[in-house]
């Protein structure tokens, strides 16, 4: 009898949430106000992290910027203040170092307050075939791209749970849902980040019944120095993404408290297709889209090179 009742309840909830999701596709959710929220962004010194900081600054949030590159972070701090951010705090932090994360987190709590929106954005990529990746870079990829999320969440989540208010944001990747040739360390670390974020979302929602929200973002390659040299065969189907476009999409997803965000929309279809077709068909699809060769011309840029390129763009 319990099984029948449980099944009826399940189908009732399933139908309700399905209709709710359809309605929200037609009528967008009301966006939440982030004025006064304390937003911490890792990897804020350039690229996507910097652009997200600009969005939050223009909406009245209190910004906490973390990056290992102090020069880039201070530039983001300056730009955020110009954008309207009255309170912006920049800290040098190596997110791959657990002790440093906890130390700087204590400093943030003392000087700024309890973080209410945590955006785990910091990332590194090597772009080499598996046997060519130095061991220390495999470790670095996991420490920055995935394991650092454990330390930041452990540092700031308890206060969110106590207040029953907060938002965790994980910047994963399409490479965290589908393995990509030439990105074995990056892809596996992003799989780990996605798995951690999704597991934590379920734990908070199902076990703790918490109002702490989660947003998990999986974009295709973004046109930043991090992925310089990457190519796409059919841009209309699988484009290299503009930084500002991705930043706006992520910002909107956070304001609408969207749990999953895949960019571009074709990624949703590809993910479903992955579960339905054979591995050989998946390889054929990858060859057709050029995913098998997208990293052929990859060279990437160091942080210093990326900062120099951004300076040159501003001067043009």
């Amino acid at each position: 009898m319990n099984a029948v009742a449980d099944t009826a309840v399940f189908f009732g909830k399933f139908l309700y949430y399905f209709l709710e999701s359809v309605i929200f596709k037609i009528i967008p959710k009301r966006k939440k106000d982030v004025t006064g929220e304390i937003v911490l962004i890792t990897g804020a010194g350039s690229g996507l992290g910097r652009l997200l900081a600009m969005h939050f600054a223009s909406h009245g949030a209190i910004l906490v910027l973390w990056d290992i590159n102090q020069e880039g972070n201070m530039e983001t701090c300056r730009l955020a203040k110009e954008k309207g951010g009255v309170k912006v705090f920049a800290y040098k932090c190596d997110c791959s170092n657990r002790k440093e994360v906890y130390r700087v987190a204590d400093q943030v709590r003392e000087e700024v307050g309890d973080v209410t929106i945590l955006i785990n954005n910091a990332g590194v990529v090597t772009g080499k075939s598996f046997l060519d990746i130095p061991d220390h870079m495999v470790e670095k990829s996991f420490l920055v791209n995935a394991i650092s999320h454990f330390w930041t969440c452990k540092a700031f989540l308890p206060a969110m749970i106590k207040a029953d208010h907060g938002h965790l944001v994980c910047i994963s990747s399409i490479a965290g849902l589908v393995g990509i040739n030439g990105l074995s360390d990056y892809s596996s670390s992003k799989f780990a980040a996605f798995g951690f974020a999704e597991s934590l979302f379920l734990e908070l929602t199902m076990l703790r019944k918490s109002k702490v929200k989660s947003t998990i973002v999986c974009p295709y390659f973004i046109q930043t120095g991090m992925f310089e040299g990457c190519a796409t065969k059919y841009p209309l189907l699988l484009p290299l993404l503009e930084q500002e476009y991705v930043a706006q999409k992520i910002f909107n997803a956070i304001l609408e408290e969207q749990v999953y965000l895949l960019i571009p929309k074709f990624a949703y279809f590809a993910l479903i297709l992955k579960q339905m077709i054979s591995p050989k068909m998946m390889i054929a699809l990858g060859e057709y889209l050029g995913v098998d060769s997208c990293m052929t011309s990859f060279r990437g840029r160091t942080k210093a090179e990326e900062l120099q390129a951004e300076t040159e763009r501003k001067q043009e």
Side-chain angles (χ1 to χ4, degrees):
M1 192 65 181
N2 287 339
V4 174
D6 287 346
T7 303
V9 169
F10 163 72
F11 278 112
K13 287 183 176 180
F14 185 88
L15 179 61
Y16 174 82
Y17 292 133
F18 174 76
L19 292 173
E20 181 185 61
S21 65
V22 171
I23 290 170
F24 283 138
K25 289 293 181 184
I26 301 169
I27 306 171
K29 285 184 179 180
R30 181 181 177 183
K31 292 181 170 67
K32 68 179 177 183
D33 184 10
V34 293
T35 303
E37 298 283 357
I38 300 178
V39 182
L40 189 151
I41 305 172
T42 67
S46 62
L48 188 59
R50 175 173 290 176
L51 291 173
L52 287 171
M54 298 305 106
H55 282 290
F56 279 101
S58 64
H59 282 72
I62 299 168
L63 287 176
V64 179
L65 310 174
W66 280 16
D67 203 289
I68 195 170
N69 187 304
Q70 194 166 14
E71 182 183 350
N73 212 27
M74 292 307 297
E75 176 65 6
T76 301
C77 181
R78 184 187 67 80
L79 292 170
K81 287 180 178 178
E82 287 182 359
K83 202 74 174 176
V86 179
K87 294 183 178 180
V88 186
F89 303 84
Y91 297 87
K92 183 178 180 180
C93 184
D94 178 0
C95 291
S96 68
N97 186 317
R98 174 174 54 86
K99 290 182 179 179
E100 188 168 335
V101 167
Y102 289 161
R103 177 184 61 77
V104 181
D106 288 339
Q107 192 177 347
V108 169
R109 276 190 293 269
E110 183 179 333
E111 297 175 359
V112 187
D114 290 324
V115 169
T116 55
I117 299 178
L118 170 64
I119 304 177
N120 281 309
N121 167 72
V124 296
V125 61
T126 55
K128 298 179 183 293
S129 60
F130 171 64
L131 293 178
D132 293 330
I133 305 170
D135 289 352
H136 74 277
M137 283 307 299
V138 174
E139 293 175 344
K140 191 72 172 179
S141 292
F142 274 88
L143 285 169
V144 175
N145 297 347
I147 296 175
S148 67
H149 297 198
F150 285 77
W151 314 145
T152 56
C153 287
K154 280 203 167 190
F156 299 113
L157 181 58
M160 294 185 190
I161 292 173
K162 185 178 180 180
D164 205 21
H165 173 78
H167 202 140
L168 302 175
V169 182
C170 167
I171 308 299
S172 181
S173 169
I174 288 298
L177 296 172
V178 179
I180 294 182
N181 173 36
L183 286 174
S184 56
D185 58 336
Y186 180 81
S187 188
S188 53
S189 67
K190 288 297 187 177
F191 264 89
F194 181 93
F196 169 64
E198 187 172 57
S199 179
L200 190 53
F201 158 67
L202 293 172
E203 181 178 320
L204 289 168
T205 306
M206 299 175 71
L207 295 182
R208 294 184 178 272
K209 309 297 181 184
S210 172
K211 292 181 181 178
V212 176
K213 307 300 180 182
S214 296
T215 295
I216 308 170
V217 183
C218 297
Y220 189 57
F221 299 145
I222 306 170
Q223 293 184 37
T224 64
M226 190 171 168
F227 282 101
E228 183 170 320
C230 291
T232 183
K233 193 173 180 181
Y234 297 114
L236 288 176
L237 282 177
L238 205 58
L240 294 177
L241 303 170
E242 294 286 344
Q243 294 183 63
E244 181 52 52
Y245 172 77
V246 176
Q248 184 66 63
K249 283 284 189 182
I250 294 171
F251 185 66
N252 288 341
I254 294 170
L255 296 189
E256 294 175 5
E257 298 180 341
Q258 186 176 335
V259 178
Y260 300 104
L261 174 65
L262 276 62
I263 314 172
K265 290 188 181 297
F266 178 78
Y268 290 94
F269 171 73
L271 189 60
I272 294 171
L273 203 61
K274 177 187 175 184
Q275 314 304 321
M276 299 171 60
I277 63 179
S278 71
K280 289 182 179 179
M281 292 169 70
M282 194 67 187
I283 291 169
L285 178 63
E287 289 173 342
Y288 168 70
L289 294 173
V291 175
D292 63 319
S293 58
C294 65
M295 298 298 291
T296 303
S297 302
F298 171 81
R299 92 171 181 89
R301 283 206 300 248
T302 65
K303 280 286 185 182
E305 289 174 325
E306 194 168 338
L307 286 167
Q308 179 62 31
E310 288 193 14
T311 302
E312 289 172 358
R313 279 199 300 271
K314 289 173 196 168
Q315 292 171 349
E316 290 175 354

